[in-house]
Amino acid sequence: MASSMGGMFTGQQPSGSHPPTGPGGPGQPGLLTGPSGNRGANNTLVDELEASFEACFASLVSQDYVNGTDQEEIRTGVDQCIQKFLDVARQTECFFLQKRLQLSVQKPEQVEKEDASELKNELQRKEMLIQKHLTKIHHWQQVLEDINVQHKKPTELPQGPLAFLEQASANIPAPMKPN
C-alpha cells in the first residue's frame, strides 16, 4: 500500500507505476491532481493541506488584519482561508478512503487482519479498564469494611423496651448552663 501512495507524498510516481487516475479510469482526473487537473508534479494534496493550514494562521496574525479596521473584510478573508483548508482536508480524506477501498478489494485478508488487530487492541484496553475499576472497587470495599468494623465495636448496649431511646438520648449533648 505504501508504494501505491508514493506519488501522494513525494510528488513523484514510483518506478514502473502508471499515472494516477480517477475511479472511472484513465480518462478521469486522479486523486493527486486538483479538481481542475492543474496540481503540479511536486504539489501534492499533503503540500496543499500544509499550505492552506499555514495560510489560516497567516491570515490570523497578518499585520494587514491586525491594523485593519474593516472587521467584515477580515472575517471574509479568514473564512476563505478556513474554507480552503477544509476543502483540501476533504480531498485528502477522500484520497485515503479510496485507497482503503482499493486495498479492501485487492487484499481483503489484509483488512480482516487489521480489523482483528483493532479488536484485540480494543479488548486489551477494555480489560485494563476493567482491572482499574476492580482495583478501585476493592479499595472502596475495604474502606467501607473498615468503617463498619469501627462502628460495630462492642459497647454496652442496654437491653429492654426503652433501650433505643436510652441510646439515642446518650448522644444528645447536655444543655449549657447560662453564666
Side-chain angles (χ1 to χ4, degrees), residues 52 55-60 65 71-87 90:
S52 62
C56 287
F57 279 106
S59 67
L60 294 173
Y65 289 137
Q71 293 294 322
E72 192 60 36
E73 182 180 326
I74 294 169
R75 182 171 298 151
T76 303
V78 170
D79 286 346
Q80 287 175 349
C81 288
I82 291 172
Q83 190 59 45
K84 168 95 170 119
F85 173 74
L86 291 174
D87 289 343
R90 284 186 197 103

Side-chain angles (χ1 to χ4, degrees), residues 11-149:
Q12 309 276 329
Q13 287 298 314
S15 60
S17 67
H18 302 287
T21 59
Q28 294 184 353
L31 295 173
L32 296 179
T33 58
S36 59
N38 60 357
R39 193 169 288 153
N42 292 325
N43 195 13
T44 65
L45 277 174
V46 174
D47 293 335
E48 281 191 33
L49 187 65
E50 183 180 2
S52 62
F53 184 71
E54 289 172 357
C56 287
F57 279 106
S59 67
L60 294 173
V61 297
S62 171
Q63 285 299 320
D64 295 337
Y65 289 137
V66 172
N67 298 332
T69 56
D70 186 11
Q71 293 294 322
E72 192 60 36
E73 182 180 326
I74 294 169
R75 182 171 298 151
T76 303
V78 170
D79 286 346
Q80 287 175 349
C81 288
I82 291 172
Q83 190 59 45
K84 168 95 170 119
F85 173 74
L86 291 174
D87 289 343
V88 175
R90 284 186 197 103
Q91 290 174 9
T92 305
E93 181 183 22
C94 181
F95 173 83
F96 283 109
L97 288 173
Q98 287 183 346
K99 287 296 179 182
R100 178 77 175 166
L101 178 63
Q102 287 176 355
L103 178 66
S104 69
V105 169
Q106 294 171 355
K107 297 182 179 181
E109 68 280 355
Q110 180 68 27
V111 175
E112 290 173 6
K113 284 180 186 177
E114 289 176 9
D115 289 346
S117 175
E118 287 175 14
L119 289 172
K120 285 178 185 176
N121 290 338
E122 184 176 350
L123 186 61
Q124 197 173 36
R125 182 184 62 81
K126 288 182 179 181
E127 289 285 341
M128 290 173 35
L129 188 61
I130 288 171
Q131 289 302 319
K132 178 182 169 185
H133 286 299
L134 284 175
T135 303
K136 286 182 179 182
I137 287 172
H138 290 300
H139 169 74
W140 287 111
Q141 283 177 336
Q142 186 63 42
V143 168
L144 288 174
E145 189 175 306
D146 292 346
I147 291 172
N148 285 337
V149 168

